[in-house]
C-alpha cells in the first residue's frame, strides 16, 4: 500500500510499515551533466566500485532486475570474511533457466559515500564477469535511483543527494571479455 499526503514542504510516504519523510527539495533527477565523461551512445551495464567489508571491490554490477544480492566466494575469501558465511544451500535460477546452488549467505557491511548498510548476500562459487551484483534488496534499502544512461546512481543522504558514478571503461572491458569468449565458443562449434 502506498499513500502520499502533502504537508507544507514535506511528503509522507508510507510503504507497509516503513515510513519516511522526503523533503521536496531533495528530488532525484538526472540531467545531461550527470553523464559527463560517458561515451554516448552506449549500451553499457552500470558497473561501479564500493568499499565492502573494508575492501575496495571493483566490478560491482547494479542490477534492478536481480531479486537478490550476490557475491563470489572468491571475493569473500579475499576479504577474509569466511567466518561470517552461514552455510545454507539455495538454488538460484537465471533468466535462461540455468541454475546455481549457493554456498550460503553472508551479512557484510557496504559503504556508499557516507551511508553504511549491513547487506545480505547470497554466496556463489562460479565464474561470472562481476565480483558482486547489487540487486533490488540493496537498491531499495539504500533508496538508490540508478541511471544506466547517465552511468550514475543517486540516493538521499542526511544533507542532500549523494551520487556515485559508474566505471564505463570497466563495463566495456568486462563486456569485451564476454563478447570474445562468446565468439570463441561459436568458432569452436563450427
Amino acid at each position: 500500500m502506498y499513500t502520499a499526503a502533502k504537508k507544507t514542504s514535506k511528503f509522507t510516504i508510507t510503504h507497509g510499515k516503513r515510513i519516511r519523510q522526503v523533503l521536496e527539495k531533495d528530488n532525484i533527477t538526472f540531467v545531461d551533466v550527470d553523464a559527463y565523461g560517458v561515451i554516448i551512445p552506449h549500451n553499457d551495464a552500470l558497473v561501479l566500485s564500493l568499499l565492502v567489508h573494508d575492501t575496495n571491490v571493483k566490478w560491482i554490477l547494479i542490477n534492478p532486475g536481480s531479486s537478490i544480492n550476490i557475491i563470489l566466494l572468491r571475493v569473500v575469501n579475499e576479504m577474509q570474511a569466511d567466518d561470517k558465511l552461514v552455510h545454507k544451500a539455495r538454488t538460484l535460477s537465471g533468466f535462461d533457466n540455468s541454475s546455481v546452488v549457493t554456498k550460503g549467505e553472508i551479512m557484510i557491511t557496504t559503504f556508499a559515500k557516507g551511508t553504511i548498510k549491513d547487506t545480505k548476500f547470497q554466496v556463489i562459487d562460479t565464474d561470472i564477469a562481476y565480483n558482486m551484483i547489487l540487486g533490488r534488496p540493496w537498491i531499495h534499502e539504500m533508496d538508490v535511483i540508478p541511471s544506466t544512461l547517465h552511468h550514475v546512481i543517486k540516493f538521499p543522504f542526511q544533507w542532500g543527494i549523494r551520487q556515485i558514478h559508474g566505471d564505463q571503461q570497466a563495463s566495456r572491458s568486462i563486456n569485451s571479455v564476454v563478447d570474445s569468449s562468446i565468439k570463441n565458443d561459436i568458432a569452436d562449434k563450427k
Side-chain angles (χ1 to χ4, degrees), residues 41-71:
H42 74 84
N43 197 21
D44 302 318
L46 181 48
V47 175
L48 48 84
S49 299
L50 286 178
L51 190 62
V52 180
H53 190 69
D54 295 327
T55 304
N56 187 26
V57 179
K58 297 180 179 184
W59 296 0
I60 300 173
L61 175 66
I62 303 299
N63 185 0
S66 178
S67 62
I68 58 171
N69 302 311
I70 296 173
I71 189 169

Short mmCIF file of all heavy atoms in Angstrom, two decimals, residues 41-71:
data_model
loop_
_atom_site.label_atom_id
_atom_site.label_comp_id
_atom_site.label_asym_id
_atom_site.label_seq_id
_atom_site.Cartn_x
_atom_site.Cartn_y
_atom_site.Cartn_z
N PRO A 41 26.60 7.25 -27.98
CA PRO A 41 25.63 6.33 -27.37
C PRO A 41 26.34 5.11 -26.79
O PRO A 41 27.45 4.77 -27.19
CB PRO A 41 24.73 5.94 -28.53
CG PRO A 41 25.59 6.06 -29.73
CD PRO A 41 26.57 7.17 -29.44
N HIS A 42 25.69 4.49 -25.83
CA HIS A 42 26.26 3.28 -25.23
C HIS A 42 25.13 2.35 -24.80
O HIS A 42 23.97 2.73 -24.73
CB HIS A 42 27.16 3.62 -24.04
CG HIS A 42 26.41 4.04 -22.81
ND1 HIS A 42 25.90 3.14 -21.91
CD2 HIS A 42 26.09 5.26 -22.33
CE1 HIS A 42 25.30 3.78 -20.92
NE2 HIS A 42 25.40 5.09 -21.16
N ASN A 43 25.53 1.13 -24.55
CA ASN A 43 24.62 0.11 -24.05
C ASN A 43 25.33 -0.65 -22.92
O ASN A 43 25.19 -1.84 -22.78
CB ASN A 43 24.22 -0.85 -25.18
CG ASN A 43 23.00 -1.66 -24.83
OD1 ASN A 43 22.23 -1.27 -23.96
ND2 ASN A 43 22.82 -2.79 -25.47
N ASP A 44 26.13 0.10 -22.15
CA ASP A 44 26.97 -0.50 -21.13
C ASP A 44 26.21 -0.70 -19.83
O ASP A 44 25.39 0.12 -19.44
CB ASP A 44 28.19 0.40 -20.87
CG ASP A 44 29.00 0.65 -22.13
OD1 ASP A 44 29.19 -0.32 -22.89
OD2 ASP A 44 29.42 1.79 -22.35
N ALA A 45 26.56 -1.77 -19.14
CA ALA A 45 25.98 -2.04 -17.83
C ALA A 45 26.51 -1.02 -16.82
O ALA A 45 27.58 -0.45 -17.00
CB ALA A 45 26.36 -3.45 -17.38
N LEU A 46 25.74 -0.79 -15.77
CA LEU A 46 26.15 0.13 -14.71
C LEU A 46 27.03 -0.64 -13.72
O LEU A 46 26.55 -1.45 -12.94
CB LEU A 46 24.92 0.73 -14.02
CG LEU A 46 25.16 1.74 -12.90
CD1 LEU A 46 26.16 2.81 -13.30
CD2 LEU A 46 23.85 2.37 -12.49
N VAL A 47 28.33 -0.39 -13.81
CA VAL A 47 29.33 -1.07 -13.01
C VAL A 47 30.07 -0.02 -12.19
O VAL A 47 30.44 1.02 -12.73
CB VAL A 47 30.33 -1.84 -13.91
CG1 VAL A 47 31.45 -2.46 -13.09
CG2 VAL A 47 29.61 -2.89 -14.72
N LEU A 48 30.27 -0.29 -10.91
CA LEU A 48 30.99 0.66 -10.07
C LEU A 48 31.83 -0.07 -9.03
O LEU A 48 31.83 -1.29 -8.96
CB LEU A 48 30.04 1.67 -9.42
CG LEU A 48 28.77 1.16 -8.73
CD1 LEU A 48 29.05 0.73 -7.32
CD2 LEU A 48 27.75 2.26 -8.73
N SER A 49 32.54 0.70 -8.24
CA SER A 49 33.35 0.17 -7.13
C SER A 49 32.82 0.72 -5.83
O SER A 49 32.36 1.87 -5.78
CB SER A 49 34.81 0.61 -7.29
OG SER A 49 35.36 0.14 -8.48
N LEU A 50 32.86 -0.10 -4.79
CA LEU A 50 32.43 0.32 -3.45
C LEU A 50 33.36 -0.28 -2.42
O LEU A 50 33.99 -1.32 -2.65
CB LEU A 50 31.01 -0.17 -3.14
CG LEU A 50 29.83 0.50 -3.79
CD1 LEU A 50 28.54 -0.19 -3.35
CD2 LEU A 50 29.77 1.98 -3.47
N LEU A 51 33.37 0.32 -1.25
CA LEU A 51 34.05 -0.25 -0.11
C LEU A 51 33.09 -1.23 0.55
O LEU A 51 31.98 -0.86 0.94
CB LEU A 51 34.45 0.86 0.87
CG LEU A 51 35.38 0.46 2.01
CD1 LEU A 51 36.71 -0.06 1.47
CD2 LEU A 51 35.60 1.63 2.94
N VAL A 52 33.50 -2.49 0.62
CA VAL A 52 32.67 -3.54 1.20
C VAL A 52 33.53 -4.31 2.19
O VAL A 52 34.59 -4.83 1.82
CB VAL A 52 32.12 -4.50 0.11
CG1 VAL A 52 31.25 -5.58 0.74
CG2 VAL A 52 31.36 -3.74 -0.95
N HIS A 53 33.10 -4.35 3.44
CA HIS A 53 33.84 -5.06 4.49
C HIS A 53 35.31 -4.62 4.49
O HIS A 53 36.22 -5.45 4.45
CB HIS A 53 33.70 -6.58 4.31
CG HIS A 53 34.22 -7.37 5.48
ND1 HIS A 53 33.60 -7.38 6.70
CD2 HIS A 53 35.30 -8.18 5.60
CE1 HIS A 53 34.28 -8.15 7.52
NE2 HIS A 53 35.31 -8.65 6.88
N ASP A 54 35.52 -3.30 4.46
CA ASP A 54 36.85 -2.70 4.48
C ASP A 54 37.73 -3.09 3.29
O ASP A 54 38.96 -3.04 3.37
CB ASP A 54 37.58 -3.02 5.79
CG ASP A 54 36.89 -2.40 6.99
OD1 ASP A 54 36.31 -1.30 6.83
OD2 ASP A 54 36.92 -3.00 8.08
N THR A 55 37.13 -3.48 2.19
CA THR A 55 37.85 -3.85 0.97
C THR A 55 37.26 -3.09 -0.20
O THR A 55 36.04 -3.05 -0.36
CB THR A 55 37.72 -5.38 0.71
OG1 THR A 55 38.18 -6.09 1.85
CG2 THR A 55 38.49 -5.80 -0.52
N ASN A 56 38.11 -2.49 -1.03
CA ASN A 56 37.62 -1.81 -2.22
C ASN A 56 37.29 -2.87 -3.27
O ASN A 56 38.20 -3.53 -3.79
CB ASN A 56 38.66 -0.81 -2.76
CG ASN A 56 38.10 0.01 -3.89
OD1 ASN A 56 36.89 0.22 -3.99
ND2 ASN A 56 38.97 0.48 -4.76
N VAL A 57 36.02 -3.05 -3.56
CA VAL A 57 35.58 -4.07 -4.51
C VAL A 57 35.23 -3.39 -5.83
O VAL A 57 34.39 -2.49 -5.87
CB VAL A 57 34.37 -4.86 -3.97
CG1 VAL A 57 33.92 -5.90 -4.98
CG2 VAL A 57 34.70 -5.51 -2.63
N LYS A 58 35.88 -3.84 -6.89
CA LYS A 58 35.62 -3.33 -8.23
C LYS A 58 34.71 -4.30 -8.96
O LYS A 58 34.50 -5.42 -8.53
CB LYS A 58 36.93 -3.17 -9.00
CG LYS A 58 37.86 -2.15 -8.37
CD LYS A 58 39.14 -2.02 -9.15
CE LYS A 58 40.01 -0.97 -8.49
NZ LYS A 58 41.23 -0.72 -9.23
N TRP A 59 34.18 -3.85 -10.05
CA TRP A 59 33.33 -4.65 -10.93
C TRP A 59 32.07 -5.14 -10.21
O TRP A 59 31.75 -6.30 -10.16
CB TRP A 59 34.08 -5.83 -11.54
CG TRP A 59 35.20 -5.42 -12.46
CD1 TRP A 59 35.59 -4.17 -12.79
CD2 TRP A 59 36.06 -6.30 -13.18
NE1 TRP A 59 36.64 -4.21 -13.66
CE2 TRP A 59 36.95 -5.50 -13.92
CE3 TRP A 59 36.16 -7.68 -13.26
CZ2 TRP A 59 37.92 -6.03 -14.74
CZ3 TRP A 59 37.14 -8.21 -14.07
CH2 TRP A 59 38.00 -7.41 -14.80
N ILE A 60 31.35 -4.17 -9.62
CA ILE A 60 30.06 -4.43 -8.98
C ILE A 60 28.97 -4.02 -9.96
O ILE A 60 28.92 -2.87 -10.39
CB ILE A 60 29.91 -3.64 -7.67
CG1 ILE A 60 31.01 -4.02 -6.68
CG2 ILE A 60 28.52 -3.86 -7.08
CD1 ILE A 60 31.04 -3.16 -5.43
N LEU A 61 28.11 -4.95 -10.32
CA LEU A 61 27.00 -4.68 -11.22
C LEU A 61 25.81 -4.19 -10.42
O LEU A 61 25.40 -4.85 -9.45
CB LEU A 61 26.62 -5.93 -12.01
CG LEU A 61 25.38 -5.82 -12.90
CD1 LEU A 61 25.63 -4.84 -14.05
CD2 LEU A 61 24.99 -7.19 -13.45
N ILE A 62 25.25 -3.05 -10.80
CA ILE A 62 24.00 -2.57 -10.21
C ILE A 62 22.89 -3.11 -11.11
O ILE A 62 22.79 -2.74 -12.29
CB ILE A 62 23.95 -1.02 -10.15
CG1 ILE A 62 25.14 -0.47 -9.37
CG2 ILE A 62 22.62 -0.56 -9.56
CD1 ILE A 62 25.23 -0.91 -7.93
N ASN A 63 22.07 -4.00 -10.56
CA ASN A 63 21.10 -4.72 -11.39
C ASN A 63 19.70 -4.69 -10.76
O ASN A 63 19.38 -5.55 -9.94
CB ASN A 63 21.55 -6.16 -11.59
CG ASN A 63 20.65 -6.92 -12.53
OD1 ASN A 63 19.67 -6.40 -13.04
ND2 ASN A 63 20.96 -8.18 -12.75
N PRO A 64 18.86 -3.73 -11.17
CA PRO A 64 17.49 -3.68 -10.64
C PRO A 64 16.65 -4.90 -11.02
O PRO A 64 15.59 -5.13 -10.46
CB PRO A 64 16.90 -2.41 -11.26
CG PRO A 64 18.06 -1.64 -11.78
CD PRO A 64 19.15 -2.61 -12.05
N GLY A 65 17.15 -5.71 -11.95
CA GLY A 65 16.43 -6.92 -12.35
C GLY A 65 16.70 -8.11 -11.46
O GLY A 65 16.06 -9.15 -11.59
N SER A 66 17.65 -7.98 -10.52
CA SER A 66 18.00 -9.09 -9.64
C SER A 66 17.25 -8.97 -8.32
O SER A 66 17.27 -7.93 -7.67
CB SER A 66 19.51 -9.09 -9.38
OG SER A 66 19.84 -10.14 -8.49
N SER A 67 16.62 -10.07 -7.91
CA SER A 67 15.85 -10.05 -6.66
C SER A 67 16.71 -10.36 -5.44
O SER A 67 16.20 -10.40 -4.32
CB SER A 67 14.70 -11.05 -6.75
OG SER A 67 15.21 -12.36 -6.92
N ILE A 68 18.02 -10.57 -5.64
CA ILE A 68 18.93 -10.83 -4.53
C ILE A 68 20.26 -10.11 -4.79
O ILE A 68 20.53 -9.67 -5.91
CB ILE A 68 19.21 -12.34 -4.33
CG1 ILE A 68 19.78 -12.94 -5.62
CG2 ILE A 68 17.97 -13.07 -3.88
CD1 ILE A 68 20.28 -14.35 -5.44
N ASN A 69 21.07 -10.02 -3.75
CA ASN A 69 22.44 -9.54 -3.87
C ASN A 69 23.35 -10.76 -3.93
O ASN A 69 23.14 -11.72 -3.18
CB ASN A 69 22.83 -8.69 -2.66
CG ASN A 69 21.92 -7.49 -2.48
OD1 ASN A 69 21.65 -6.76 -3.42
ND2 ASN A 69 21.43 -7.30 -1.27
N ILE A 70 24.34 -10.72 -4.80
CA ILE A 70 25.22 -11.87 -5.00
C ILE A 70 26.67 -11.43 -4.81
O ILE A 70 27.06 -10.36 -5.25
CB ILE A 70 25.04 -12.46 -6.42
CG1 ILE A 70 23.62 -13.00 -6.58
CG2 ILE A 70 26.08 -13.55 -6.71
CD1 ILE A 70 23.27 -13.44 -7.99
N ILE A 71 27.46 -12.29 -4.19
CA ILE A 71 28.91 -12.09 -4.07
C ILE A 71 29.59 -13.41 -4.37
O ILE A 71 29.07 -14.48 -4.03
CB ILE A 71 29.29 -11.53 -2.67
CG1 ILE A 71 30.76 -11.12 -2.63
CG2 ILE A 71 28.96 -12.54 -1.59
CD1 ILE A 71 31.14 -10.32 -1.38
#
